[in-house]
Amino acid sequence: MNKDKRYEIFRRWREANPHPTTELNFSSPFELLVAVTLSAQSTDKGVNKATDVLFKVANTPQAILDLGLEGLREHIKTIGLYNNKAKNVYAACQMLVDLHGGEVPDDREALEALPGVGRKTANVVLNTAFGHPTMAVDTHIFRLSNRTGIAKGKNVVEVEKGLLRHIPKEFMVDAHHWLILHGRYICVARKPRCGACLISDLCDFKEKNL
């Protein structure tokens, strides 16, 4: 795929959705960090249902610690893998209080040092909370990038590097959201909705479902 096609793809997405954002509910970097940590192998809808209640009770690291591990578990027990996620969130809160004054650091290394926070979660927080031009590659973006030809790679790191290299700079801050929304609702895994796709004429996918 050449740079002109890539530019037109992102131009169309921007025109259709000028201000994309995550579907996770949050009102602070900390709430976003917790929501993204809880979202692994869970739906955003399911996470929002739990955090909408949790954040009314505790939406700072210290408030989570005051709630206690058992109290946290009780609030997120509807989410898959909640036991392990509760342990990670609780331990991360302790580190945020002890090492960062209760604030979420605007720094990749510090974020990835937190329990339960890997590269993808750190990228989401850096991009969505702090406006960094980073790229969090999940299963949707990995599939979409390879299928369309925007950025091909054998693993998520290769795709991430390809996207950072090929996406025009003016689109980078919002690119993650356009990609994930397109992969989640249009370029779905089993039967892509090519007939409803804004970029079907630009995409390299040979088996279009028109």
Side-chain angles (χ1 to χ4, degrees):
M1 180 176 285
N2 62 46
K3 65 179 182 180
D4 291 336
K5 276 190 176 183
R6 288 193 185 93
Y7 187 92
E8 179 61 13
I9 284 171
F10 285 94
R11 187 201 66 76
R12 290 183 191 180
W13 281 339
R14 180 174 64 185
E15 184 177 48
N17 184 7
H19 305 292
T21 189
T22 178
E23 294 185 309
L24 292 167
N25 295 338
F26 74 98
S27 61
S28 70
F30 175 70
E31 288 188 0
L32 178 64
L33 175 65
V34 172
V36 177
T37 302
L38 296 179
S39 70
Q41 299 180 48
S42 302
T43 65
D44 288 358
K45 185 177 179 180
V47 172
N48 287 338
K49 187 175 180 181
T51 57
D52 285 350
V53 178
L54 171 65
F55 292 155
K56 289 176 183 176
V57 178
N59 69 342
T60 67
Q62 188 59 57
I64 294 285
L65 294 177
D66 292 343
L67 187 64
L69 181 56
E70 288 305 318
L72 177 59
R73 278 200 188 107
E74 189 64 26
H75 277 86
I76 67 169
K77 65 183 180 181
T78 56
I79 299 174
L81 307 174
Y82 76 94
N83 269 316
N84 195 49
K85 290 177 181 179
K87 290 176 184 176
N88 283 333
V89 169
Y90 192 81
C93 287
Q94 190 66 64
M95 284 184 67
L96 289 173
V97 169
D98 292 345
L99 302 178
H100 303 288
E103 299 294 327
V104 174
D106 181 3
D107 175 81
R108 174 183 301 283
E109 187 176 354
L111 283 169
E112 291 189 19
L114 298 172
V117 178
R119 184 178 184 85
K120 185 179 77 172
T121 297
N123 277 335
V124 172
V125 173
L126 289 170
N127 175 254
T128 305
F130 298 115
H132 289 219
T134 59
M135 182 58 60
V137 178
D138 67 352
T139 55
H140 296 299
I141 294 179
F142 181 78
R143 175 182 70 251
L144 171 65
S145 298
N146 276 289
R147 181 185 277 170
T148 60
I150 293 173
K152 294 185 177 181
K154 296 177 181 177
N155 55 59
V156 293
V157 175
E158 284 186 11
V159 169
E160 178 186 328
K161 290 179 178 178
L163 290 169
L164 292 173
R165 184 168 62 252
H166 292 308
I167 295 173
K169 288 183 179 180
E170 69 182 271
F171 302 116
M172 267 307 307
V173 171
D174 292 320
H176 165 255
H177 299 300
W178 287 317
L179 286 163
I180 196 170
L181 290 170
H182 195 75
R184 184 174 288 171
Y185 296 112
I186 302 296
C187 199
V188 295
R190 293 188 179 180
K191 196 175 181 181
R193 300 175 57 223
C194 301
C197 178
L198 284 175
I199 64 163
S200 60
D201 59 316
L202 302 168
C203 165
D204 288 348
F205 185 48
K206 290 182 173 59
E207 301 169 19
K208 289 187 172 66
N209 177 36
L210 299 170

